[in-house]
């Protein structure tokens, strides 16, 4: 890629583009788990984005190439565990291994450390997704446990639970 990839805060005007991106991502990878994606409307997504941008416990950033979203990072406060945010990252398959995931995780952890009111940042990742696990470790996530997570096809899969601990970051 000779052109640069930009990062932007997702706004309500991005609702349709985000839904399109999430649908494509869910077709490209079984690791993308977005409940009710097929019934979510543009209006609902726009309203959610408005609320997210008005909070200090949630974030959605888009990676864009030629003004089209190619990746997304989210931090969402867990409903059942207040003050704990969950990180989610996804990049379109055509753009894998170009540093976009790193860029998104770096931006999200910076926001968490400097702007959010969350006390912890966690994630779960399928244990066979070694590139993602290494990426998260590079940015300070450490393994805290294991779990079974249901994928898009309804199958139980082993997952690694991780928590952000900035002192553990291993930047090159």
């Amino acid at each position: 890629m000779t052109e640069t990839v930009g990062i932007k805060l997702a706004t309500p005007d991005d609702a349709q583009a985000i839904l399109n991106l999430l649908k494509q991502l869910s077709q490209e990878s079984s690791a993308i788990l977005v409940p009710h994606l097929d019934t979510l409307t543009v209006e609902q997504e726009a309203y959610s984005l408005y609320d997210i941008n008005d909070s200090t416990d949630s974030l959605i950033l888009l990676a864009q190439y030629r003004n089209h979203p190619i990746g997304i990072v989210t931090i969402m406060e867990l409903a059942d565990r207040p003050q704990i945010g969950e990180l989610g990252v996804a990049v379109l398959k055509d753009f894998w291994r170009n540093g976009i995931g790193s860029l998104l995780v770096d931006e999200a952890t910076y926001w968490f450390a400097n702007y959010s009111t969350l006390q912890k940042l966690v994630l779960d990742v399928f244990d066979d997704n070694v590139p993602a696990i290494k990426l998260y470790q590079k940015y300070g996530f450490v393994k805290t446990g294991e779990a079974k997570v249901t994928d898009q096809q309804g199958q139980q899969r082993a997952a690694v639970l991780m928590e952000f601990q900035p002192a553990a970051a291993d930047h090159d």
Side-chain angles (χ1 to χ4, degrees), residues 1-167:
M1 285 188 296
T2 57
E3 296 178 48
T4 60
V5 171
I7 301 293
K8 72 174 284 265
L9 182 68
T11 68
D13 291 338
D14 297 312
Q16 183 67 64
I18 290 171
L19 291 177
N20 294 343
L21 175 65
L22 292 173
K23 287 175 184 171
Q24 184 174 349
L25 286 164
S26 67
Q27 292 172 355
E28 292 182 356
S29 171
S30 63
I32 308 302
L33 306 174
V34 182
H36 314 294
L37 179 59
D38 51 341
T39 61
L40 195 58
T41 68
V42 173
E43 293 77 18
Q44 291 168 324
E45 182 67 10
Y47 184 76
S48 292
L49 288 163
Y50 178 80
D51 279 350
I52 289 165
N53 289 343
D54 199 32
S55 76
T56 57
D57 58 15
S58 299
L59 174 74
I60 297 180
L61 297 174
L62 295 173
Q64 291 193 276
Y65 180 66
R66 296 183 178 169
N67 292 322
H68 296 287
I70 59 166
I72 189 168
V73 64
T74 62
I75 296 178
M76 296 294 158
E77 184 176 43
L78 295 172
D80 60 338
R81 295 166 51 199
Q83 298 301 304
I84 299 177
E86 182 175 40
L87 179 83
V89 180
V91 176
L92 291 176
K93 198 170 193 170
D94 286 347
F95 295 90
W96 287 1
R97 306 214 185 344
N98 283 299
I100 297 163
S102 292
L103 185 62
L104 289 167
V105 172
D106 188 49
E107 290 289 329
T109 55
Y110 181 84
W111 175 86
F112 169 77
N114 294 286
Y115 298 104
S116 86
T117 55
L118 297 167
Q119 295 174 0
K120 288 185 180 180
L121 184 59
V122 299
L123 61 86
D124 57 64
V125 57
F126 291 123
D127 69 350
D128 59 354
N129 192 346
V130 177
I133 292 169
K134 287 182 179 184
L135 169 68
Y136 298 134
Q137 288 172 331
K138 177 181 174 182
Y139 284 94
F141 285 86
V142 296
K143 181 179 175 181
T144 57
E146 298 174 357
K148 293 287 186 186
V149 176
T150 305
D151 68 12
Q152 285 185 161
Q153 290 76 32
Q155 302 296 315
Q156 289 283 309
R157 292 178 55 191
V160 175
L161 306 177
M162 302 181 88
E163 182 179 325
F164 181 59
Q165 297 178 7

